[in-house]
Amino acid sequence: YSYSCTEGENRQLWSSGHHLKSCRDVAFSQDGQKLFTVSKDKSIHILTAEEGRLETRFPKAHESALNCVLPIDNHIFATGDDGGAVKVWDLRRGSAILEARQQEEYISAMTVDGNGKILLTASGDGTLGVFNVKRRRFELLSEPQNGDLTSVVLLKRGRKVACGSSEGTIYLFNWDGFGAASDRFALRAETIDCMVPITDSIVCVGSLDGVIRAVNVLPNRVLGCVGQHLGEPIEQLAVAADGKLLASSGHDQKVKFWDVSALGSMVVDDYRRKKKKGGPLRALSSKALGSGEDFFADLRDEAEPEAAAGEGGGGDSDSD
């Protein structure tokens, strides 16, 4: 699709029906020219972004249904499946250059450092996996956390790793300290199903309750509500390259766009103002909590002046 802020200007550019079963994940290549897709049918497809032409196909890429894909550079990409297997592929060779099955449950999300060297994988068994792409080997596995790990992002210029969990907790790891979590932050959310970084300290998280929360990490604060899908679970989040626009997709069959440009200027200090436990969630945009006023009545803003107002528990000891 081509998206436009002008009403009625959204256009479908093309569609593809090459996969035999459900399409689990899609990702653009780093140059934006190709689209990687993985499916329950265990295949990987690479299509041209402009025309949707199938360029490369790996028909039986994994033994189990594929769940996620991550392009690392113009030639290297990684995939993870429902059985916990991870593969790193080289398009120049047309085959996998690293294969490992260190985690016992599905691979839910992956990320890589800025050098394309260290690959991190979040799994349904509650562990964070660490793989060295350059040396083509498995490095280590973290201690299992409570609940499934559903997302993984880099923060603080790559010095911190944040993982979301199905229990509604964000787990923080120090870089080069992946064995055990250094900090944890429990949100008043049923789950954290997806997470995307907006700045070096702020992430947006999507949850089963349909609310998109903006969360500052170290000091740990929930800044407020960016938007919502009216009680429908949020499946995926993505942020534009300039960091000003957030896209969300939910079980309501809609893709929504939210203005998150103001988050970049928010300053959160270490001082936590006392707030009544269970207080409402602050609306960070005119669209947040707007049309769902009755459904989200318990989340309405208390009109607190500072951005540092938030919810949730501790974990402020580990600060930069």
Side-chain angles (χ1 to χ4, degrees), residues 3 210 212 226-229 234 237 244-249 255-261 285-289:
Y3 168 71
I212 305 168
V226 170
Q228 68 285 320
H229 278 257
I234 295 171
L237 296 171
K244 295 181 179 180
L245 209 59
L246 178 77
S248 62
S249 63
V255 177
K256 296 185 177 183
F257 294 85
W258 311 94
D259 182 2
V260 292
S261 56
S285 74
S286 59
K287 299 290 186 182
L289 310 180

Side-chain angles (χ1 to χ4, degrees), residues 2 35 104 109 120 138-139 150 157 175 185 276 290 292 297:
S2 171
L35 192 69
E104 297 178 0
L120 304 176
F138 165 73
E139 293 281 346
T150 58
R157 296 181 177 85
W175 191 261
F185 179 34
K276 184 179 178 182

Side-chain angles (χ1 to χ4, degrees), residues 67-290:
N67 198 52
C68 57
V69 60
L70 175 72
I72 296 174
D73 61 29
N74 288 332
H75 306 290
I76 308 295
F77 69 97
T79 53
D81 69 23
D82 282 355
V86 173
K87 289 188 180 185
V88 177
W89 304 78
D90 190 333
L91 288 172
R92 293 164 295 190
R93 294 180 52 177
S95 61
I97 58 174
L98 187 158
E99 299 183 35
R101 190 185 178 279
Q102 299 293 331
Q103 289 159 300
E104 297 178 0
E105 295 289 342
Y106 66 98
I107 304 298
S108 58
M110 300 184 290
T111 193
V112 69
D113 68 348
N115 298 320
K117 178 182 177 182
I118 302 298
L119 174 71
L120 304 176
T121 61
S123 172
D125 64 6
T127 63
L128 178 68
V130 184
F131 299 84
N132 191 312
V133 175
K134 301 294 186 184
R135 296 185 179 180
R136 304 179 185 180
R137 72 186 188 191
F138 165 73
E139 293 281 346
L140 61 91
L141 209 61
S142 76
E143 295 177 350
Q145 311 302 323
N146 295 330
D148 303 9
L149 292 189
T150 58
S151 49
V152 54
V153 299
L154 298 179
L155 296 169
K156 304 291 185 180
R157 296 181 177 85
R159 300 194 308 272
K160 297 286 183 179
V161 176
C163 294
S165 80
S166 60
E167 301 291 311
T169 300
I170 295 177
Y171 293 95
L172 300 178
F173 295 84
N174 293 319
W175 191 261
D176 291 336
F178 298 117
S182 64
D183 199 2
R184 67 192 64 197
F185 179 34
L187 310 184
R188 279 195 292 117
E190 297 176 55
T191 64
I192 297 173
D193 293 326
C194 48
M195 182 162 57
V196 66
I198 306 298
T199 70
D200 257 349
S201 300
I202 296 174
V203 295
C204 282
V205 302
S207 176
L208 187 67
D209 59 11
V211 178
I212 305 168
R213 292 168 171 83
V215 179
N216 191 89
V217 172
L218 297 176
N220 298 333
R221 304 280 191 277
V222 174
L223 303 178
C225 172
V226 170
Q228 68 285 320
H229 278 257
L230 295 179
E232 297 287 345
I234 295 171
E235 195 69 28
Q236 191 60 276
L237 296 171
V239 65
D242 60 7
K244 295 181 179 180
L245 209 59
L246 178 77
S248 62
S249 63
H251 286 205
D252 55 5
Q253 307 296 312
K254 293 178 181 177
V255 177
K256 296 185 177 183
F257 294 85
W258 311 94
D259 182 2
V260 292
S261 56
L263 292 180
S265 60
M266 288 185 112
V267 178
V268 182
D269 59 31
D270 290 323
Y271 175 73
R272 181 193 290 274
R273 177 179 173 177
K274 284 189 177 182
K275 181 180 176 183
K276 184 179 178 182
K277 190 173 181 181
L281 198 61
R282 180 184 182 187
L284 296 179
S285 74
S286 59
K287 299 290 186 182
L289 310 180

